[in-house]
Amino acid sequence: MARMSRREMNELAEDREKCAARCERNARSGREAAANPALSDTTRKQAATAAVFAQRHAQEYREEAAALREGRMPGEDW
């Protein structure tokens, strides 16, 4: 498989940043739901757990974007 061009890597990095922003919004929503006393304990616990995962995904997307901007393929050296 041919290596991606620098332009393609930058485009993919942009996409990864958008994904990170979406995950950040999801994490924020999960934290808000977890703090909402009107919701059941189960729902609040699930929302808190989902928020943690969404935050981790955001960080992973940002790491991928950084690697792409440096000209590396994510996962090649991990």
Side-chain angles (χ1 to χ4, degrees):
M1 185 168 133
R3 208 144 151 90
M4 295 174 72
S5 71
R6 196 68 166 165
R7 182 186 56 78
E8 291 170 323
M9 292 176 101
N10 286 334
E11 287 175 1
L12 187 55
E14 260 184 62
D15 179 67
R16 292 298 185 258
E17 288 292 347
K18 289 177 185 175
C19 291
R22 184 183 66 238
C23 287
E24 287 284 347
R25 287 191 303 273
N26 292 341
R28 186 171 43 253
S29 176
R31 289 189 298 270
E32 289 170 1
N36 186 342
L39 299 175
S40 71
D41 287 345
T42 300
T43 299
R44 291 188 353 245
K45 287 176 186 177
Q46 289 172 336
T49 300
V52 170
F53 282 102
Q55 193 67 51
R56 286 181 190 160
H57 288 185
Q59 180 60 37
E60 290 168 0
Y61 280 128
R62 287 200 174 89
E63 289 171 5
E64 289 180 12
L68 288 161
R69 286 194 178 97
E70 292 170 4
R72 297 181 294 117
M73 289 300 296
E76 279 185 347
D77 56 351
W78 297 342

